[in-house]
């Protein structure tokens, strides 16, 4: 029976992971020589990678892979292994013993193995590993005699007890770290490499005692039992909290499961002719074509990525172990050419002999992704379409992160490694839980001795990361780069007092009330908040997005309510404004009182006075936007104000009246009572579905008249300056065709009156509507008779179709729904294709049936989400509109959608 249970995840009824190769059925274990890169979904990324390297003749330790199908079957059965799995493992273990001439747990020529996870989608550091499995008192002594290196043998043994104790037995890692630190302190050494063989042998006994004290049982001595429990623990780590957080952050399905790779150990801790390292075939931070990586001599396994010791730069290996370095460079070239992409490689050198333990596509910053893609095309390795497919569209957001203002740099507190580019400002926090909590309401910088996979939620919430230990390939660096978070690692002169919760740098002491600025581009740390500047667009950015523009079918516009927003959107490649929300223009302090007077006016004349005051304000705003977007369409939505957003709060106004009744001036009391009466009269139980949008303008047509005048006058003024304004006037919240017909008549009459007064006949304005109610989508044929265009407002369409209040749900049940898998994604972040997407499809089809060629777009937040953009492309929309800084994401995502469509058509 399995000793470690895992929570159930959604799978197919057969226990196979979706998309798995058919050969998975009935078989769960493959030797490395049986696999290849095309079996990734079955063997996991690590298993497929080492199998492919075996096929290419690259030196890889021998072993076998337990498939993802086995993990999925175990999850499906609440942790119980599928029938026959253990027998398969034993059979493949016996074959491995025969090939190596070694036996697991033997007193002579013992076989030691690693047990490592390997999901189909790379999740660095998120799941568990056990090294040196099979070692015991007897086999440790045998290894010491066989190698003539007793320190290595006992070091391997203490590492096994530590990793097995933590991963399989559940002993907290700090239990072992505390004992190790105490021993180093007693011996007066800084690193564990300074400990003697006797020290390490004693540490093995200390660690075993720690396991016994913590768990109440001894560490098992049967190597087969150890192997079974280790495999089961790796299965279980698929659903560890850190793995689940990582999958949520990176949109990785929960039902894929992990493979388990059991491989013969090779040892980087056999002295100064041995070592371990991680390297990239190109620089993952910049994309430069250079050898990039780190290593440690006399080290093993996780030492480099865990940040326990600050590693050395890869070029230093040439001097220390030149033959191994030359072979490593040749292998790096071979693998990059084979995979036609930048590769991330883990290697071990044992007594001068090079072994590769893993190869995978290297995680990189957005800037590096663009440069690598551009360079690989220039080098003839890939074509442009392949380059576009490979870039993560959402990752482009990183390119718009701020950097330090070079003209206002402060005095550096300290320097570390420039592990992930960009700059961040935030208050200091010392643990991931605090970062996750405080990061909800303020900017924080997570400061750690070194990060671990358990810190993933804190890194996600922080603006930046600063660590004392670790290098360019440490956990902090890799995860921060993947998230686009600035990171400075290996700042060795930091001193963290966990109990006092202070950070000391030289003579400076910082607490969790103090602010830091970290510059991940240079590796510099400053006290206080330094000014940041927005980044400039690089040649790589412009070139690759130019390729995307050549490919994509969907247009990309921006949601912009001001001239500067429109100008920034155009700079980032927007092809117009898809949504200008006029009510957002009224929230400024000098305008809100005027709008309030307009809303609460009892008499038409009083309302008209307020509108006349607003007209020049709106006209000036429209002129700025039309000027910034000259030659491109600008869709201006008529006012759509949920009234509660523009009026005083009913409770607060009532309390104000009560206070003034006690001791307030009579004139202030009268005014407050008058306002309270208006607020009570206009209060609505559900203002989001109340008197807003077209309803407000039909009740008070003078509002639409004034807005239309402001729009047309602005367009005429811009044209008078020799520019080319292109106006689209949008009527919001239409549910009935008659609503649009009547308000369109008001808009057209007003616009034509303005044009006639100016002697202009060819402005070419359009009048359309926003489809944001289910009835509007269903009645799109009738509505299209009065519309020049449709723009789908998927924010409100989602609320009204799904019956979820966005403001309420995101703070209450929606998080639980996502956690429990009731819904696959936040429907306000990624389009609900089956529900809301179906309404969009119906609206497009019925609208175009009546008005062929009807322009259709989307202006909700989904317009900047890559998955939603793919759906909109399939639905035949003409454009998406999103916030200015998501325009680059939408441009690339639209190109990728076109390429996917072409691939489907070819198939």
């Amino acid at each position: 029976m399995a000793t470690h249970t895992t929570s159930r995840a959604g799978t197919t009824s057969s226990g196979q992971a979706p998309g798995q190769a058919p050969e998975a059925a009935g078989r769960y274990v493959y030797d490395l020589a049986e696999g290849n890169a095309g079996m990734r979904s079955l063997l996991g990324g690590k298993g497929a990678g080492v199998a492919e390297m075996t096929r290419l003749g690259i030196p890889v330790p021998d072993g076998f892979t337990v498939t993802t199908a086995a993990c999925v079957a175990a999850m499906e059965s609440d942790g119980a292994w599928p029938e026959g799995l253990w027998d398969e493992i034993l059979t493949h273990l016996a074959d491995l013993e025969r090939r190596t001439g070694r036996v697991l747990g033997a007193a002579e020529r013992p076989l030691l193995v690693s047990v490592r996870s390997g999901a189909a989608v790379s999740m660095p550091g998120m799941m568990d590993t056990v090294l040196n499995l099979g070692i015991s008192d007897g086999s440790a002594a045998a290894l010491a005699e066989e190698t003539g290196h007793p320190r290595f043998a006992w070091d391997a043994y203490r590492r096994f007890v530590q990793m097995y104790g933590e991963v399989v037995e559940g002993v907290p890692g700090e239990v072992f770290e505390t004992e190790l630190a105490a021993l180093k302190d007693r011996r007066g050494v800084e690193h564990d490499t300074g400990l003697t063989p006797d020290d390490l042998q004693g540490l093995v006994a200390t660690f075993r005692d720690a396991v016994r004290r913590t768990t109440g049982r001894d560490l098992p001595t049967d190597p087969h039992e150890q192997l079974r429990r280790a495999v089961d623990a790796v299965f279980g780590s698929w659903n560890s909290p850190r793995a689940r957080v990582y999958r949520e952050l990176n949109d990785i399905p929960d039902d894929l499961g992990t493979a388990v790779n059991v491989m013969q150990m090779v040892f980087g801790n056999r002295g100064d002719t041995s070592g371990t390292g991680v390297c990239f075939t190109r620089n993952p931070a910049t994309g430069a074509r250079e050898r990039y990586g780190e290593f440690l001599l006399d080290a093993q396994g996780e030492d480099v990525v865990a940040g326990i010791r600050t590693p050395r730069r890869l070029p230093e290996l040439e001097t220390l172990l030149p033959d191994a370095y030359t072979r490593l460079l040749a292998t790096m070239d071979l693998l990059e050419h084979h995979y036609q992409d930048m590769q991330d490689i883990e290697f071990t050198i044992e007594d001068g002999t090079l072994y590769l333990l893993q190869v995978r596509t290297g995680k990189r910053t957005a800037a590096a992704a663009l440069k690598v893609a551009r360079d690989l095309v220039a080098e003839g390795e890939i074509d442009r379409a392949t380059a576009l497919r490979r870039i993560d569209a959402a990752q482009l957001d990183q390119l718009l992160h701020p950097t330090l203002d070079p003209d206002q740099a402060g005095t550096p507190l300290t320097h570390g490694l420039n592990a992930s580019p960009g700059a961040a400002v935030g208050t200091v926090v010392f643990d991931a839980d605090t970062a996750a909590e405080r990061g909800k309401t303020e900017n924080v910088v997570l400061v750690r001795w070194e990060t671990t996979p358990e810190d993933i939620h804190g890194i996600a919430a922080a603006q930046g990361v600063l660590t004392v230990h670790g290098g360019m390939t440490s956990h902090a660096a890799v995860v921060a780069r993947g998230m686009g978070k600035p990171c400075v690692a290996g700042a060795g002169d930091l001193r963290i007092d966990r109990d006092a919760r202070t950070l000391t740098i030289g003579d400076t002491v910082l607490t969790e009330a103090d602010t830091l600025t970290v510059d991940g581009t240079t590796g510099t740390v400053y006290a206080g908040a330094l000014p940041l500047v927005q980044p400039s667009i690089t040649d790589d950015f412009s070139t690759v997005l130019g390729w995307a523009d050549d490919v994509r079918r969907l247009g990309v516009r921006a949601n912009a309510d001001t001239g500067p927003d429109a100008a920034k959107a155009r700079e980032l490649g927007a092809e117009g404004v898809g949504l200008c929300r006029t009510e957002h223009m009224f929230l400024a302090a000098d305008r809100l009182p005027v709008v309030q007077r307009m809303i609460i006016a009892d008499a038409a004349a009083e309302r008209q006075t307020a509108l006349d005051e607003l007209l020049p304000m709106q006209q000036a705003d429209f002129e700025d936007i039309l000027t910034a977007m000259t030659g491109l369409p600008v869709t201006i939505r008529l006012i759509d104000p949920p009234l509660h957003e523009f009026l005083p709060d009913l409770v607060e106004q009532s309390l104000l009246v009560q206070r003034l009744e006690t001791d307030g001036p009579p004139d202030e009391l009268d005014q407050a009572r008058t306002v309270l009466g208006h607020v009570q009269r206009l209060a609505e139980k559900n203002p989001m579905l109340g008197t807003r949008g077209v309803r407000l303008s039909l009740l008070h047509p003078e509002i639409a008249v004034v807005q239309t005048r402001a729009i047309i006058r602005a367009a005429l003024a811009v044209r008078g300056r020799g520019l080319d304004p292109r106006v689209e006037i949008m009527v919001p919240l239409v549910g009935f065709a008659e609503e649009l017909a009547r308000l369109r008549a008001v808009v057209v009459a007003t616009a034509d009156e303005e044009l006639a007064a100016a002697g202009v006949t060819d402005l070419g304005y359009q009048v359309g509507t926003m489809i944001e109610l289910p009835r509007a989508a269903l009645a799109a044929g009738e509505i299209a008779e009065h519309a020049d265009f449709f723009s789908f407002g998927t924010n409100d369409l989602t609320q009204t179709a799904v019956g979820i209040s966005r403001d309420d749900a995101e703070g209450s049940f929606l998080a639980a729904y996502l956690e429990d898998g009731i819904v696959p994604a936040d429907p306000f972040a990624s389009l609900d294709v089956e529900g809301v997407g179906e309404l969009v499809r119906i609206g497009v089809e019925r609208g175009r049936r009546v008005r062929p060629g009807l322009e259709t777009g989307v202006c909700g937040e989904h317009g900047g989400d890559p998955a939603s953009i793919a759906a909109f492309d399939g639905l035949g929309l003409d454009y998406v509109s999103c916030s200015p800084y998501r325009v680059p994401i939408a441009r690339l995502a639209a190109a990728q959608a076109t390429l996917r469509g072409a691939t489907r058509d070819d198939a």
Side-chain angles (χ1 to χ4, degrees), residues 142-313:
L143 280 175
E145 182 177 352
E146 177 186 340
T147 62
H149 197 333
R151 188 198 174 284
F152 142 70
W154 291 105
D155 183 52
Y157 196 0
R158 72 92 184 169
R159 289 172 183 270
F160 165 70
V161 177
Q162 183 172 355
M163 298 184 81
Y164 189 92
E166 184 175 350
V167 170
V168 181
E169 298 293 341
V171 179
E174 55 264 27
V175 171
F176 300 111
E177 291 297 337
T178 299
E179 296 287 1
L180 178 58
L183 177 59
K184 289 191 291 186
D185 187 58
R186 291 196 301 272
R187 297 293 184 263
V189 299
E190 184 177 357
H191 300 298
D192 51 20
T193 51
L195 298 175
T196 67
D198 289 342
D199 290 334
L200 293 168
Q201 186 171 1
L203 196 59
V204 168
T206 300
F207 280 4
R208 295 184 73 102
D209 286 342
V211 172
R212 187 181 304 110
R213 289 195 311 271
T214 306
T215 66
R217 58 182 179 273
D218 286 324
L219 200 77
T221 56
D222 179 355
H224 291 92
E225 180 185 356
Q226 293 174 354
L227 176 60
R228 175 159 187 153
R229 293 183 64 188
V231 171
D232 205 45
V234 174
F235 282 168
S237 70
W238 173 257
N239 277 320
S240 67
R242 64 178 186 266
R244 294 182 70 88
V245 169
Y246 187 90
R247 289 199 298 274
E248 181 179 349
L249 290 171
N250 292 277
D251 295 324
I252 300 172
D254 281 332
D255 59 0
L256 300 181
T258 181
V260 182
N261 300 283
V262 180
M263 299 172 66
Q264 181 184 10
M265 284 296 306
V266 289
F267 302 101
N269 57 334
R270 285 187 61 171
D272 290 339
T273 60
S274 301
T276 186
V278 176
C279 60
F280 294 81
T281 57
R282 302 186 188 224
N283 188 315
T286 67
R289 190 176 185 182
E290 61 189 18
R291 308 304 185 187
Y292 183 97
E294 297 171 324
F295 71 98
L296 287 169
L297 292 182
D298 197 13
Q300 189 181 64
E302 307 297 300
D303 288 358
V304 173
V305 296
I308 296 169
R309 290 158 52 191
T310 299
R312 305 167 76 161
R313 299 296 181 97

Side-chain angles (χ1 to χ4, degrees), residues 6-9 11-17 20 24 28 67-83 85 235 255-258:
T6 59
S7 61
R8 183 184 180 92
T11 59
T12 61
S13 59
S14 66
Q16 276 185 251
Q20 227 165 244
Y28 294 109
T67 65
T68 57
C71 178
V72 170
M75 288 192 295
E76 215 178 28
S77 301
D78 293 326
W81 283 16
E83 185 177 354
L85 173 57
F235 282 168
D255 59 0
L256 300 181
T258 181

Side-chain angles (χ1 to χ4, degrees), residues 301-368:
E302 307 297 300
D303 288 358
V304 173
V305 296
I308 296 169
R309 290 158 52 191
T310 299
R312 305 167 76 161
R313 299 296 181 97
L314 187 64
E316 296 180 48
L317 188 61
E318 183 175 15
T319 302
L320 299 167
L321 297 172
D323 290 342
Y325 181 73
T326 299
R327 289 194 297 274
L328 177 61
L329 294 189
T331 304
M332 292 168 71
D333 288 340
L334 170 63
L335 287 170
E336 179 172 284
H337 178 69
H338 180 73
Y339 284 104
Q340 297 180 310
D341 201 357
M342 184 189 91
Q343 297 300 298
D344 172 359
I345 297 165
E346 292 183 22
F347 64 91
T348 288
I349 301 168
E350 180 180 356
D351 271 346
T353 301
L354 174 70
Y355 296 92
L356 266 68
L357 308 182
Q358 177 168 315
V359 63
R360 60 188 174 193
T361 300
K363 291 189 177 298
R364 63 205 79 175
T365 64

